[in-house]
C-alpha cells in the first residue's frame, strides 16, 4: 500500500464514524494506550498533551472545538456571540449560560461558582498555572446567578473564547479544589490524581506514569452514555509497541500519537486488527533554543532563568547557522513521509496564519559556516569546536525517548558538527519530560539543556492564546512552580506589544496578518527552529466505533460517543 494512499484513507475514515445508541455501560471495557504515560490529571498543572487527554475523560470545558475547528457548547446552552447578545457590543464582556441539569460525578450540582473558582485558581499569582495565557486580559468573573457566568475583560477583546474553552481549560469543582490555591496547588495529590468532573467517566485508580482506570459516570447528563462501563488507560512503552498493540495484536482499542516512520505504519496495518487515523492541524516538531543559561554551575533556582542570559544562543549568527545546517526534507522523509511537511513556521495552520516569509527547505552547510566565520565565531584551538567570546559552542540537546526523535538527534548532531558545534545528546522518558513535577530536573519546562526538541499544538483555529506563549512573563521560573509555556524564555518588546494589539483586533484578515508577524518575530529572533509540520496520527481497533479524530482539541473530546461495533 502506498503511504500517501494510506494517509489519505486514514484522514477520510475520521469522517465516517456513525453513532450507535447503547445503554450506559453495556459495551464493557475500552483499552487505550499512550506511550507517553500521564503523570497528573490536572491540566492546569501540566503542559503535556498526555496529561490533558487523560484529564479530558473526566473534566470538561464550557465549550470546545469539534473536528472541523468549530466551537460547540458542552456545558452551556449556546456559544455566546455579539449577534445573540452573549458578547457585548463593546467586546469587553462575554456571558455564558450553563445548561440545566448538569451534575458533578459526586451528584452535586454544577454551577457558575465552579466556573468562577476555576478562573481564580488559574489566575492565582502563586499557582503556576500552565494555562494562564487562556485568562489574559480577564478583569473579573462574576456569577449573577447559579446558571450565569459573566467574564469581563480589561479592554475590548474580539476573541473572548480563551477562558473555559477547549480541552486545555476545563472546569474544576470548587468544593474539591478550594483548599488547593496558589503554592498549595501541586501539593494536593489526591485532588490532582482524582479530580471530580462532569465528563463521561470517573477515576477509580491512578498509578502515575503507569495506568489509569475509569468507570462510567453514573451522573453523566446523557442517560445512554457512555457505552463503555470502564476505561483502562495504559501509559508507557514506545510508539512501536503501542501501534502493534492496536493494529497487529488487537490488545488495545486506541493508540495515540504514533510517531513512527510511514512504512512502519503501513506494515502494522497489514495486521488487520486496526486502522490508522490522521489529520493536519498546527502540530510542529521544533527545536527550542534556550535564551538563558542552563549551566549546572549556577545556583539552583537561577539555572535557565532570565538572571543569566545564554552565552551564545542569542547570537543571530549562531542560531541562523544551526537552522541552515539542517536538512529538513530528509527529516520529513525518514520520520513522517506523507504525514509530514517541511515548515519554517511556529504556526503553520490554519492556512490564513501560515507565514511565507522564510524559506528553509534547502540545507546549506557552507552558508552556515560562512555566517559563523563572518561573525568572528571561529575554532581558535583546532579542536573542531568554534568559540564565541571564549565560550565553546557546546550544546546539550534533549528530547523525549522515541525512535524518530533519536534519529533526528543523531542527524542534527552530525550536521552541527560540520559547522563547529559540539552536541551532547540526551533522551528522557516522555512521561517525565512532559510531566509537570516542579521538583524534577528533566521536564521540558525546567529546560536544563541548551536546546530541546518536541512538538505541541493548540485548541481551536485562532492562535491568539498560543502565540501568547511567547510573551516575556510567561516563562517558567521558580516563582511559577516552573510552569508556563514560554519554554525558550524568549523576550522581545515588539512581540509583546504586537500581541497586545492582536488581542484588540477584530478584523479577521488583520488578525491573521498580526499572527504571521508574531510567528516571524519568534523565528527570526531565535526563539525556536521549526522542523516539521506533523500530521497527527493515531489508530483505533476495527471493532471500536464512534472515534472522530480531532486535531483542534483533545483526542478524547468525544469519548462519550465511543462504542463497540455490533457484530464485530
Amino acid at each position: 500500500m502506498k503511504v500517501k494512499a494510506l494517509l489519505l484513507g486514514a484522514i477520510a475514515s475520521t469522517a465516517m464514524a456513525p453513532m450507535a445508541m447503547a445503554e450506559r455501560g453495556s459495551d464493557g471495557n475500552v483499552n487505550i494506550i499512550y506511550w507517553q504515560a500521564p503523570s497528573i490529571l490536572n491540566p492546569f498543572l501540566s503542559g503535556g498533551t498526555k496529561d490533558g487527554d487523560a484529564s479530558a475523560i473526566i473534566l470538561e470545558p464550557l465549550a470546545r472545538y469539534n473536528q472541523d475547528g468549530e466551537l460547540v457548547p458542552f456545558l452551556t446552552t449556546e456559544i455566546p456571540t455579539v449577534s445573540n447578545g452573549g458578547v457585548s457590543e463593546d467586546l469587553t464582556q462575554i456571558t455564558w449560560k450553563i445548561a440545566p441539569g448538569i451534575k458533578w460525578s459526586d451528584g452535586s450540582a454544577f454551577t457558575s461558582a465552579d466556573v468562577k473558582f476555576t478562573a481564580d485558581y488559574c489566575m492565582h499569582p502563586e499557582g503556576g498555572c500552565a494555562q494562564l495565557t487562556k485568562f489574559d486580559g480577564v478583569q473579573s468573573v462574576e456569577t449573577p446567578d447559579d446558571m450565569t457566568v459573566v467574564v469581563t475583560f480589561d479592554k475590548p477583546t474580539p476573541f473572548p473564547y480563551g477562558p473555559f474553552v477547549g480541552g486545555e481549560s476545563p472546569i474544576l469543582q470548587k468544593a474539591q479544589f478550594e483548599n488547593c490555591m496558589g503554592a498549595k496547588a501541586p501539593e494536593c495529590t489526591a485532588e490532582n490524581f482524582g479530580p471530580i468532573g462532569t465528563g463521561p467517566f470517573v477515576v477509580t485508580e491512578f498509578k502515575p506514569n503507569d495506568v489509569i482506570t475509569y468507570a462510567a459516570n453514573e451522573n453523566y447528563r446523557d442517560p445512554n452514555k457512555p457505552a463503555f462501563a470502564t476505561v483502562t488507560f495504559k501509559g508507557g512503552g514506545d510508539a512501536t509497541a503501542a501501534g502493534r498493540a492496536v493494529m497487529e495484536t488487537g490488545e488495545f482499542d486506541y493508540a495515540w500519537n504514533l510517531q513512527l516512520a510511514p512504512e512502519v505504519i503501513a506494515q502494522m496495518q497489514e495486521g488487520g486488527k486496526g486502522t490508522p487515523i490522521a489529520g493536519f492541524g498546527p502540530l510542529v516538531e521544533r527545536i527550542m533554543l534556550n535564551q538563558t543559561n542552563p549551566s549546572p554551575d549556577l545556583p539552583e533556582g537561577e539555572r535557565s532563568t532570565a538572571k543569566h542570559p545564554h552565552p551564545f544562543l542569542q547570537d543571530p549568527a549562531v542560531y541562523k547557522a544551526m537552522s541552515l545546517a539542517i536538512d529538513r526534507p530528509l527529516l520529513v522523509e525518514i520520520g513522517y513521509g506523507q504525514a509530514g511537511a517541511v515548515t519554517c513556521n511556529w504556526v503553520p495552520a490554519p492556512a490564513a496564519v501560515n507565514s511565507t516569509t522564510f524559506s528553509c527547505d534547502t540545507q546549506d552547510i557552507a552558508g552556515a559556516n560562512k555566517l559563523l566565520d563572518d561573525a568572528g565565531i571561529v575554532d581558535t584551538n583546532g579542536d573542531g569546536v568554534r568559540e564565541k567570546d571564549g565560550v565553546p559552542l557546546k550544546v546539550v540537546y534533549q528530547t523525549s525517548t522515541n525512535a524518530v526523535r533519536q534519529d533526528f538527534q543523531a542527524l542534527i548532531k552530525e550536521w552541527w558538527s560540520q559547522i563547529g558545534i559540539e552536541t551532547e545528546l540526551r533522551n528522557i522518558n516522555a512521561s517525565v519530560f512532559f510531566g509537570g513535577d516542579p521538583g524534577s530536573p528533566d521536564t521540558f519546562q525546567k529546560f536544563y539543556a541548551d536546546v530541546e526538541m518536541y512538538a505541541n499544538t493548540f485548541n481551536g483555529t485562532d492562535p491568539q492564546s498560543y502565540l501568547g506563549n511567547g510573551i516575556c512573563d510567561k516563562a517558567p521560573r521558580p516563582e511559577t512552580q516552573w510552569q508556563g509555556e514560554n519554554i525558550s524564555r524568549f523576550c522581545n518588546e515588539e512581540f509583546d506589544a504586537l500581541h497586545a494589539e492582536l488581542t484588540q483586533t477584530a478584523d479577521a484578515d488583520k488578525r491573521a496578518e498580526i499572527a504571521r508577524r508574531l510567528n516571524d518575530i519568534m523565528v527570526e529572533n531565535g526563539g525556536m527552529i521549526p522542523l516539521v509540520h506533523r500530521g497527527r496520527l493515531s489508530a483505533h481497533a476495527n471493532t471500536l466505533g464512534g472515534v472522530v479524530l480531532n486535531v483542534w482539541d483533545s483526542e478524547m473530546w468525544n469519548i462519550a460517543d465511543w462504542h463497540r461495533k455490533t457484530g464485530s
Side-chain angles (χ1 to χ4, degrees):
M1 179 182 290
K2 297 290 186 182
V3 174
K4 183 175 183 180
L6 167 67
L7 183 75
L8 293 175
I11 293 174
S13 73
T14 67
M16 299 186 296
M19 293 177 60
M21 292 301 292
E23 189 177 330
R24 177 179 292 162
S26 61
D27 286 352
N29 185 66
V30 60
N31 287 305
I32 299 170
I33 185 165
Y34 272 47
W35 56 272
Q36 295 179 11
S39 54
I40 194 170
L41 293 177
N42 181 350
F44 293 110
L45 299 183
S46 173
T49 302
K50 44 126 178 149
D51 299 324
D53 282 4
S55 305
I57 297 174
I58 317 153
L59 301 172
E60 297 178 307
L62 297 182
R64 64 190 339 153
Y65 297 90
N66 66 14
Q67 70 272 24
D68 298 317
E70 301 164 335
L71 267 177
V72 291
F74 254 60
L75 301 178
T76 59
T77 57
E78 63 181 354
I79 302 300
T81 63
V82 173
S83 60
N84 65 23
V87 175
S88 64
E89 293 284 349
D90 65 0
L91 306 180
T92 61
Q93 278 191 344
I94 182 170
T95 300
W96 296 93
K97 292 290 187 180
I98 294 172
I102 296 173
K103 294 182 179 179
W104 291 102
S105 59
D106 64 2
S108 62
F110 174 83
T111 74
S112 58
D114 298 299
V115 183
K116 174 177 170 50
F117 168 78
T118 300
D120 293 340
Y121 176 91
C122 187
M123 294 170 67
H124 194 289
E126 298 175 5
C129 180
Q131 311 300 341
L132 192 57
T133 54
K134 309 293 188 300
F135 294 86
D136 278 353
V138 173
Q139 185 177 74
S140 67
V141 179
E142 302 299 330
T143 54
D145 57 59
D146 284 352
M147 309 302 285
T148 306
V149 179
V150 180
V151 181
T152 301
F153 297 92
D154 57 11
K155 55 184 175 294
T157 302
F159 188 80
Y161 307 110
F164 321 123
V165 174
E168 297 167 339
S169 189
I171 312 302
L172 299 179
Q173 188 192 53
K174 178 181 178 181
Q176 185 183 29
F177 280 89
E178 60 187 343
N179 294 320
C180 299
M181 299 287 282
K184 293 181 180 178
E187 300 172 6
C188 289
T189 303
E191 293 81 358
N192 295 328
F193 286 6
I196 293 167
T198 58
F201 294 94
V202 299
V203 182
T204 54
E205 185 178 19
F206 178 40
K207 297 178 180 177
N209 302 321
D210 185 9
V211 66
I212 314 166
T213 54
Y214 306 81
N217 175 6
E218 293 302 321
N219 289 299
Y220 189 59
R221 55 191 173 273
D222 188 327
N224 294 314
K225 297 178 183 179
F228 288 104
T230 55
V231 178
T232 302
F233 194 113
K234 182 73 176 93
D238 56 54
T240 302
R244 286 175 176 161
V246 171
M247 291 187 280
E248 292 183 3
T249 70
E251 297 170 77
F252 283 83
D253 294 300
Y254 192 89
W256 163 83
N257 188 26
L258 297 181
Q259 194 175 355
L260 299 165
E263 63 271 16
V264 175
I265 296 291
Q267 184 177 7
M268 286 179 179
Q269 192 180 11
E270 292 176 1
K273 299 287 188 180
T275 302
I277 50 176
F280 275 89
L283 185 67
V284 169
E285 190 79 12
R286 84 288 298 273
I287 294 173
M288 306 300 287
L289 304 173
N290 200 337
Q291 305 293 290
T292 61
N293 194 340
S295 171
D297 296 333
L298 295 171
E300 187 62 29
E302 295 187 13
R303 294 178 66 183
S304 290
T305 70
K307 291 181 180 179
H308 302 281
H310 198 281
F312 55 80
L313 282 180
Q314 293 190 28
D315 190 310
V318 175
Y319 59 74
K320 289 181 180 180
M322 293 170 78
S323 181
L324 276 174
I326 295 171
D327 186 342
R328 289 173 177 80
L330 180 58
L331 295 181
V332 170
E333 179 184 345
I334 68 165
Y336 301 100
Q338 294 292 330
V342 169
T343 187
C344 315
N345 293 327
W346 177 20
V347 186
V353 300
N354 185 35
S355 172
T356 58
T357 300
F358 307 114
S359 175
C360 61
D361 56 0
T362 301
Q363 183 187 44
D364 187 358
I365 296 290
N369 276 309
K370 185 176 187 304
L371 262 180
L372 294 166
D373 288 342
D374 291 348
I377 303 171
V378 297
D379 175 10
T380 58
N381 56 18
D383 63 355
V385 180
R386 295 175 183 267
E387 296 178 2
K388 174 179 168 58
D389 301 327
V391 178
L393 267 58
K394 297 182 178 181
V395 297
V396 174
Y397 175 8
Q398 70 182 18
T399 189
S400 64
T401 304
N402 169 270
V404 171
R405 286 189 169 138
Q406 270 67 79
D407 287 346
F408 279 25
Q409 279 186 307
L411 286 168
I412 292 170
K413 175 180 179 177
E414 168 59 26
W415 294 329
W416 284 350
S417 75
Q418 295 176 33
I419 63 171
I421 298 175
E422 181 178 307
T423 307
E424 175 189 336
L425 302 181
R426 294 182 68 210
N427 67 83
I428 300 165
N429 181 283
S431 301
V432 175
F433 186 66
F434 294 113
D437 181 2
S440 172
D442 294 322
T443 65
F444 80 111
Q445 299 103 321
K446 190 72 73 73
F447 205 172
Y448 281 178
D450 300 284
V451 301
E452 63 184 9
M453 181 173 65
Y454 62 89
N456 72 4
T457 184
F458 58 91
N459 286 177
T461 57
D462 189 283
Q464 177 181 303
S465 292
Y466 188 65
L467 289 164
N469 294 334
I471 295 172
C472 296
D473 67 2
K474 298 301 186 292
R477 50 197 185 277
E479 52 268 36
T480 67
Q481 312 290 327
W482 291 105
Q483 293 292 349
E485 294 298 311
N486 185 348
I487 303 301
S488 287
R489 287 67 162 148
F490 182 80
C491 190
N492 180 285
E493 289 184 3
E494 181 187 0
F495 185 99
D496 283 15
L498 194 58
H499 189 270
E501 182 181 340
L502 176 63
T503 66
Q504 300 176 65
T505 300
D507 180 76
D509 291 341
K510 183 64 174 176
R511 286 179 67 80
E513 179 186 337
I514 294 172
R516 294 192 297 269
R517 180 57 189 149
L518 287 167
N519 172 93
D520 292 354
I521 292 171
M522 172 65 73
V523 175
E524 70 190 2
N525 288 282
M528 69 177 69
I529 300 174
L531 300 174
V532 179
H533 182 196
R534 284 174 46 191
R536 191 181 290 185
L537 181 66
S538 296
H540 66 81
N542 292 333
T543 62
L544 183 62
V547 175
V548 179
L549 184 70
N550 189 341
V551 299
W552 308 110
D553 210 304
S554 167
E555 289 193 28
M556 298 292 108
W557 77 291
N558 78 326
I559 192 170
D561 297 329
W562 291 11
H563 58 270
R564 191 67 64 194
K565 290 182 179 178
T566 56
S568 299

